[in-house]
Amino acid sequence: MTFHPVPEPRPTLTHAGCVVSTPLGYRPLHLDLHVPPGDGPFPVVLWVHGGGWMTGSRVWTVDPLFHERMVARGYAVADVDYRLALEATYPAQQADLEAAVRWLRHHAAALRLDPARFAALGESAGGQLAAVAALTGTGDTAIQAVILWYAPADLSTVPHQDDPFMFPAILLGGPLEERQTFARLASPLHNIHPAAPPFLLVHGTDDETVPFAEATGFAEALRAQGVRCDVLPVEGAGHVFTGATVEVGNLTEAGADFLDDVLR
């Protein structure tokens, strides 16, 4: 396993392309780790990309300066791979995130990470994965805080339940009307428990892909179990914050503020 530091003047010590999992019969799964300068140990944020479980890459972020902002705030960032839905059906993606968390925690001392302060930030489909990982993780897969950007909370109620070609159906291996129990197992809303970590939900009020009501309903369910859940509406924004009047960097900073509060 080889680390490849990115040279200065980049303000991040970066370990690029570390192999964290080699599922049998599939491509190796990689992770890029951006660590602040200094001795640490630093809290770490797992970036989980979106793309409807069908597209996307760990190297793509909504905020072009996401890593620089988080590292400047004292957070390491781990960009994680997971298998897409046409590579493997769920729960392969969940196993991939758990492998990344386990690998980071195992190597925390060498990487200057704080094993007691792991957070996940997932956007869209990656938010569903991040949320379920946080709600089900224990021990070496535990996650202590979660930020979701426009993430679906309940796959069991999405429209077109009889369509085998919509993305959630491809993820779960068939029409959702035939997989209701499985869809609930894959839904953050149906995995809530009183010991869940705190959540911040950042969601566009005009999102037509994942309606804003998904965030408010999920927040209400978390709070009913005594779990902290903050909601940050992005007024006028659609999916991926399209049409937002606020700069996406401000939303990254709001996430860092939340993590400062719950992790420190």
Side-chain angles (χ1 to χ4, degrees):
M1 193 171 298
T2 304
F3 298 120
H4 305 286
V6 173
E8 295 296 329
R10 186 179 179 89
T12 310
L13 177 59
T14 303
H15 303 298
C18 306
V19 177
V20 299
S21 181
T22 53
L24 188 63
Y26 293 93
R27 62 187 169 95
L29 300 175
H30 294 82
L31 175 152
D32 298 332
L33 182 62
H34 309 256
V35 187
D39 295 333
F42 301 102
V44 60
V45 179
L46 279 78
W47 165 254
V48 189
H49 71 83
W53 308 281
M54 297 285 284
T55 64
S57 164
R58 72 182 190 279
V59 304
W60 183 80
T61 56
V62 181
D63 175 5
L65 296 178
F66 176 74
H67 299 94
E68 288 82 356
R69 296 184 207 278
M70 295 303 294
V71 166
R73 297 286 296 265
Y75 292 92
V77 180
D79 311 321
V80 300
D81 266 344
Y82 59 85
R83 283 168 285 178
L84 301 176
L86 288 177
E87 295 180 279
T89 54
Y90 190 85
Q93 297 75 19
Q94 214 64 53
D96 297 341
L97 290 195
E98 290 173 359
V101 174
R102 190 177 291 112
W103 186 90
L104 286 165
R105 192 163 267 123
H106 179 75
H107 295 284
L111 298 173
R112 296 178 286 123
L113 306 178
D114 186 343
R117 292 188 292 169
F118 272 44
L121 195 165
E123 58 110 13
S124 196
Q128 173 266 328
L129 297 173
V132 176
L135 290 164
T136 60
T138 58
D140 60 356
T141 61
I143 294 173
Q144 284 76 39
V146 191
I147 301 171
L148 302 183
W149 286 359
Y150 44 85
D154 190 358
L155 301 186
S156 70
T157 58
V158 298
H160 311 298
Q161 295 272 312
D162 60 341
D163 184 354
F165 300 110
M166 68 170 183
F167 290 177
I170 295 172
L171 175 73
L172 298 181
L176 298 188
E177 65 181 6
E178 301 173 5
R179 288 163 170 75
Q180 278 295 293
T181 299
F182 198 25
R184 290 170 67 89
L185 287 172
S187 298
L189 182 66
H190 300 292
N191 283 278
I192 294 171
H193 55 87
F199 278 74
L200 169 65
L201 312 183
V202 187
H203 210 112
T205 59
D206 291 355
D207 193 330
E208 296 182 356
T209 303
V210 181
F212 182 65
E214 288 265 321
T216 56
F218 186 45
E220 290 172 3
L222 284 164
R223 292 165 182 164
Q225 291 287 327
V227 179
R228 174 174 171 176
C229 183
D230 300 353
V231 179
L232 175 57
V234 185
E235 296 296 333
H239 206 58
V240 200
F241 302 136
T242 56
T245 57
V246 63
E247 292 291 335
V248 68
N250 292 341
L251 304 178
T252 299
E253 295 288 350
D257 291 342
F258 168 77
L259 295 178
D260 284 351
D261 191 27
V262 300
L263 293 182
R264 301 189 185 188

